[in-house]
């Protein structure tokens, strides 16, 4: 017997349901005693009456309109998408069943979801291959200007940067030699970084079009870049000067005082500061060109997007740089062989340094450098822009906006990273 109210549902055969006074009386048996066969509780009716009809079931509310699995709900006021709770992929009853999640939408060179290393590299190469007219037109002009400037710097400083083998130099001469060499490589890095940042900014609209699966033209690219040209120049100046300061300021006291030990100790410190500066602000050029903010906004935007992913961006950028350097070296190698064959003194001139000072050697190797840079620099800049897109997808659900812009809202779900 259960005497606690609320435990048994109405009409259930539990003991203690209602009171004896409320229970309808059962008809007695012919002998005046109660019949052993009793109707089930809740089905008693008065003699001679028809039982009332059962109440109609409540109408089932209509099911909400379905959305593609994985997209989640999206707040139009620039809020990121929230995934609806449910069983994970790969379990019975989950979206996709045992087959796993359906593929993400891919209107262009990358799928619209968080990217892996292979997808970033493939997207950069696909951009170069599919938009080669716009990409090579920009990179060839920038590479030619940078190589011409480097050619004159090499011709003016290579004599002072060569070590003399006739006698052992003094500490002061070593310090001067180190300073001249630092100036030569600093100028080379200045021009290379200038070209890299400039091509990254100029090709950011091209990579953006490639992500959306749209075509691009040289005139359209220049039209998109022209209003931002002053800010772009200012940003590149800040980045190049900041990189040079990070690399050479630690070794500068030793160079100025003639202390070789202090200068040598400053070199690794400068390399560490240079790596930190480059990775922290490497996303500033695409941020400026695609978000159209100020120089300060672009620098802050890059630092914010890189925060928490510094080592990942550093690793991908370093790997891309290694691949680009190897590819450029393979392209330049035949030109260096031709230059060595035509330069005065031949191989012996290369050993004593006289070949490196001849215009023949410098011009031919500069031609190889132009071709190598024009082909390989867009790969590095494409990776940088795709890293910017990837970071915004991971943190701001940019994939939803890209899918809308590409007209593929329902083309496929965006899987989580």
């Amino acid at each position: 017997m259960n005497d606690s109210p609320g435990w048994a549902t109405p009409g259930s055969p539990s003991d203690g349901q209602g009171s004896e006074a409320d229970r309808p009386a059962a008809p007695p048996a012919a002998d005046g005693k109660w019949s052993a066969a009793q109707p089930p509780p809740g089905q008693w009716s008065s003699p001679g009456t028809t039982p009332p009809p059962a109440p109609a079931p409540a109408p089932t509310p209509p099911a909400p309109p379905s959305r593609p699995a994985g997209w989640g709900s999206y707040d139009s006021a620039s809020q990121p998408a929230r995934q609806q709770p449910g069983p994970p992929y790969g379990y019975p009853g989950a979206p996709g069943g045992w087959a796993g999640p359906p593929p993400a939408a891919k209107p262009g060179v990358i799928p619209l979801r968080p990217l892996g290393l292979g997808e970033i590299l493939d997207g950069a190469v696909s951009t170069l291959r599919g938009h080669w007219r716009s990409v090579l037109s920009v990179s060839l002009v920038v590479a030619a200007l940078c190589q011409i400037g480097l050619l004159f710097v090499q011709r003016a400083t290579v004599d002072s940067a060569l070590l003399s083998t006739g006698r052992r130099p003094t500490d002061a001469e070593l310090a001067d030699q180190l300073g001249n060499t630092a100036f030569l490589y600093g100028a080379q890095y200045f021009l290379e970084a200038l070209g890299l940042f400039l091509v990254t900014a100029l090709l950011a609209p091209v990579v953006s079009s490639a992500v959306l699966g749209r075509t691009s033209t040289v005139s359209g690219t220049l039209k998109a870049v022209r209003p931002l040209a002053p800010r772009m120049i200012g940003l590149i100046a800040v980045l190049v000067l900041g990189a040079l300061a990070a690399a050479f300021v630690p070794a500068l006291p030793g160079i100025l005082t003639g202390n070789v030990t202090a200068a040598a100790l400053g070199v690794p410190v400068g390399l560490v500061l240079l790596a930190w500066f480059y990775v922290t602000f490497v996303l500033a050029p695409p941020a400026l060109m695609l978000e159209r903010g100020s120089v300060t906004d672009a620098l802050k935007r890059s630092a914010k997007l890189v925060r928490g992913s510094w080592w990942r961006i550093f690793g991908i950028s370093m790997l891309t740089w290694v691949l680009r350097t190897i590819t450029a070296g393979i392209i330049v190698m035949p030109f260096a062989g031709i230059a060595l064959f035509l330069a005065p003194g031949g191989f012996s001139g290369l050993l004593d340094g006289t070949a490196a000072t001849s215009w023949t050697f410098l011009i031919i190797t500069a031609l190889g450098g132009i071709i190598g840079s024009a082909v390989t620099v867009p790969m590095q800049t494409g990776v940088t822009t795709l890293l910017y897109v990837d970071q915004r997808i991971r943190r701001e659900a940019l994939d939803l906006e890209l899918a809308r812009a590409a007209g593929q809202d329902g083309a496929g779900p965006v899987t989580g990273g």
Side-chain angles (χ1 to χ4, degrees):
M1 181 74 66
N2 185 2
D3 297 329
S4 301
W7 284 94
T9 57
S12 65
S14 302
D15 294 334
Q17 176 67 27
S19 63
E20 294 296 334
D22 297 334
R23 191 185 301 273
D31 55 1
K33 298 182 179 180
W34 292 101
S35 173
Q38 298 294 329
Q43 297 182 5
W44 293 93
S45 59
S46 302
T49 61
T50 303
T60 304
S66 60
R67 295 177 60 86
W71 283 87
S73 59
Y74 183 77
D75 184 1
S76 59
S78 302
Q79 296 293 329
R82 298 176 176 86
Q83 298 293 333
Q84 299 293 341
Y89 282 108
Y91 288 87
W98 292 102
K106 187 179 179 181
V109 296
I110 59 170
L112 300 184
R113 57 170 171 76
L115 304 176
L117 171 61
E119 292 166 333
I120 292 176
L121 295 176
D122 180 70
V125 174
S126 298
T127 301
L128 175 60
R129 184 173 59 247
H131 301 256
W132 62 271
R133 289 184 178 87
S134 301
V135 170
L136 292 182
S137 298
V138 172
S139 63
L140 187 61
V141 173
V142 175
L145 294 175
C146 293
Q147 284 294 328
I148 291 174
L150 181 60
L151 175 66
F152 286 100
V153 171
Q154 289 176 334
R155 186 63 183 84
T157 60
V158 72
D159 289 334
S160 59
L162 292 175
L163 289 172
S164 176
T165 58
R167 60 180 178 83
R168 182 177 180 178
T170 63
D171 289 345
E173 290 175 339
L174 283 176
D176 292 339
Q177 195 75 36
L178 184 61
N180 294 331
T181 305
F183 176 78
L184 174 61
Y185 284 101
Q188 182 176 353
Y189 176 81
F190 175 87
L191 293 172
E192 182 177 353
L194 176 64
L196 188 62
F197 289 134
L198 185 58
V199 173
T200 302
L202 292 174
L203 293 185
V206 178
V207 179
S208 176
S209 299
V211 169
L212 297 176
R214 299 172 181 173
T215 59
S216 61
T217 61
V218 179
S219 60
T221 302
L222 295 178
K223 183 179 179 180
V225 170
R226 190 177 297 116
L228 299 173
R231 281 174 279 178
M232 179 185 67
I233 295 173
L235 175 63
I236 292 173
V238 171
L239 291 176
V240 173
L241 293 177
L244 287 173
F248 294 105
V249 166
L252 190 60
I255 295 175
L256 295 178
T257 59
N259 190 330
V260 179
T261 303
L265 291 176
V267 171
V269 177
L271 293 178
V272 172
L273 290 177
L274 176 62
W276 173 85
F277 181 88
Y278 177 83
V279 175
T280 302
F281 300 109
V282 69
L283 304 183
L288 175 71
M289 303 307 295
L290 299 180
E291 298 182 17
R292 297 179 174 268
S294 64
V295 173
T296 304
D297 293 337
L299 294 172
K300 292 180 179 179
R301 195 81 168 101
S302 177
K304 180 180 179 181
L305 292 174
V306 171
R307 189 179 301 118
S309 301
W310 192 96
W311 285 107
R312 177 175 180 269
I313 296 176
F314 170 78
I316 295 176
S317 300
M318 181 60 66
L319 176 61
T320 307
W321 178 81
V322 171
L323 295 176
R324 179 174 71 88
T325 302
I326 294 174
T327 305
I330 295 174
I331 296 174
V332 173
M333 193 177 298
F335 291 89
I338 296 173
L340 183 61
F341 178 77
L342 298 177
F347 187 75
S348 60
L350 180 65
L351 293 178
D352 59 20
T354 56
T357 61
S358 66
W359 282 106
T360 302
F361 183 86
L362 293 175
I363 291 175
I364 295 177
T365 54
L367 290 176
I370 291 173
I371 298 176
S373 298
V375 174
T376 60
V377 167
M379 180 181 177
Q380 181 92 47
T381 60
V383 167
T384 300
T385 304
L386 291 179
L387 280 173
Y388 163 82
V389 174
D390 176 60
Q391 288 300 109
R392 290 198 61 187
I393 287 177
R394 292 173 182 270
R395 301 189 178 191
E396 303 172 1
L398 181 64
D399 44 2
L400 303 184
E401 294 297 330
L402 292 176
R404 286 195 180 96
Q408 296 196 10
D409 296 59
V414 176
T415 60

